[in-house]
Amino acid sequence: AAGAAGTGTALRYRPALGSAAERRARLREDLPGAWDRGELSVLFQPVVSLGERRVTGVEALLRWQHPELGEVPPAEFVPIAERAGVIGELQRWALTHAAAAVLTLPCTGAPLRLGVNISASHVAARTLVRDVAAVLQSTGLAPERLILEITEATLMSEGEHVAVDIEALRLMGVHVALDDFGTGRSSLAHLTRLPIDVLKLDHAFVLRVDRDPKARALCESVVSIAGALGLDVVAEGVETPAQLGALRAAGCGFAQGFLLARPMRPRELVDVLDNGAGQLWPGLVASR
Ligand code: C2E
Ligand code: MG
Ligand code: MG
Ligand code: MG
């Protein structure tokens, strides 16, 4: 058993996977180096311009294929990476791979924008500016094409360096999106003060927009304030034509969700880009 460790036996203690704590311990043990072992990949979910009816960007979403446990979702392993102190390495891998993959996609109009999620502890660690600059340099991606998706809690966090770093990134030409707006403590008043270019309406908010008059009114206010501030609004997690219709009626400019396209590999994305929105998304056409 584990007690025998230290006697020189080659057996490494492997906790059983009976409990959530044991699963976390196992994931934490296995995560470092997963990127070097080829276990991580990046999927891309198209972001569609509702006005132009075409894909104008993609969001990079990390996947970890664990050799024994199968697919582990980012909501589970990103917090583990943060606590294990490997979030910087993980983010550098994700940024580099996402940027390189996007550069292989066909150009069908303006160059596709790339959204990459950035975790709070990467911002806190203060390597973000250096890491992003290095990735832009090594891949050749134009800074204007990169959108760092950051939550409000991270953008508002204490410590003046966060604001300084975000400002430095924006001076480089990189864009910043406020992710998951409508969850947590999001407030309309904050919007005027945040250093952002894009606002992403959370799925939880989008879910109610076609049925709940209050959600619809809030959506209209957000879109109108965002417009006055020069921000693009992207609705996340759009699943039904009714939701899409309500978002269009509220003046929302962009949408993302299973109705339009699931997160996919670059190869599949090429087909989507070649086919165009009209044929692929009857829901988008119907809601016009
Ligand atoms: P997020 O940035 O809000 O990403 C959107 C999530 O919604 C993704 O989940 C996506 O697959 C899912 N989604 C897309 N369309 C729909 C829809 O129509 N309905 C529903 N119900 N869901 C939809 P995913 O890929 O599991 O990622 C979850 C979260 O993990 C992301 O939330 C993001 O916060 C985080 N994440 C993903 N990749 C990275 C990364 O590279 N770095 C960091 N730090 N976090 C990441
Ligand atoms: Mg995101
Ligand atoms: Mg989001
Ligand atoms: Mg979300």
Side-chain angles (χ1 to χ4, degrees):
T7 58
T9 126
L11 280 176
R12 196 150 58 111
Y13 172 61
R14 288 285 198 177
L17 296 173
S19 72
E22 285 163 345
R23 179 179 162 96
R24 270 198 305 278
R26 176 70 190 278
L27 293 177
R28 184 182 166 129
E29 185 188 341
D30 292 347
L31 185 57
W35 40 93
D36 293 329
R37 297 191 299 272
E39 294 169 13
L40 290 189
S41 56
V42 183
L43 297 184
F44 296 90
Q45 185 174 37
V47 176
V48 176
S49 158
L50 299 179
E52 293 179 58
R53 289 210 277 162
R54 65 178 193 90
V55 178
T56 51
V58 291
E59 177 176 3
L61 295 161
L62 264 183
R63 293 292 178 267
W64 180 16
Q65 187 69 35
H66 188 283
E68 285 162 49
L69 302 175
E71 190 169 286
V72 184
E76 186 173 7
F77 70 79
V78 167
I80 292 174
E82 295 187 312
R83 284 196 299 272
V86 296
I87 192 68
E89 281 175 81
L90 185 77
Q91 281 300 173
R92 283 189 283 277
W93 187 92
L95 277 162
T96 308
H97 279 255
V102 154
L103 287 166
T104 68
L105 294 170
C107 188
T108 57
L112 284 182
R113 288 178 153 202
L114 168 66
V116 179
N117 293 287
I118 299 297
S119 82
S121 62
H122 193 199
V123 177
R126 293 224 67 179
T127 61
L128 186 60
V129 179
R130 191 170 73 212
D131 290 343
V132 167
V135 167
L136 295 174
Q137 167 107 60
S138 69
T139 61
L141 185 78
E144 295 73 26
R145 294 179 64 182
L146 182 63
I147 305 174
L148 303 177
E149 299 197 1
I150 305 178
T151 61
E152 186 165 21
T154 306
L155 285 173
M156 298 289 288
S157 57
E158 297 295 316
E160 62 201 46
H161 82 263
V162 173
V164 171
D165 288 358
I166 298 291
E167 192 50 33
L169 287 159
R170 294 179 83 214
L171 283 171
M172 280 162 52
V174 171
H175 292 106
V176 175
L178 173 58
D179 205 352
D180 301 340
F181 185 81
T183 61
R185 293 168 180 274
S186 305
S187 90
L188 290 176
H190 281 164
L191 282 183
T192 58
R193 289 189 277 129
L194 290 172
I196 55 172
D197 310 281
V198 178
L199 189 153
K200 299 195 76 169
L201 283 178
D202 192 70
H203 171 64
F205 189 82
V206 168
L207 210 56
R208 296 178 288 128
V209 83
D210 59 318
R211 279 169 281 158
D212 176 353
K214 285 183 191 156
R216 191 185 295 236
L218 192 52
C219 184
E220 283 164 7
S221 310
V222 170
V223 166
S224 126
I225 290 171
L229 296 171
L231 310 176
D232 284 341
V233 179
V234 182
E236 296 189 283
V238 181
E239 293 179 347
T240 68
Q243 288 164 0
L244 192 64
L247 291 161
R248 290 177 78 97
C252 181
F254 300 84
Q256 194 182 339
F258 297 159
L259 175 71
L260 303 164
R262 292 192 169 259
M264 54 182 78
R265 311 222 165 256
R267 187 189 296 271
E268 302 168 82
L269 196 52
V270 172
D271 293 336
V272 169
L273 295 171
D274 286 345
N275 279 304
Q279 295 157 44
L280 267 154
W281 301 307
L284 189 55
V285 177
S287 73
R288 264 182 98 80

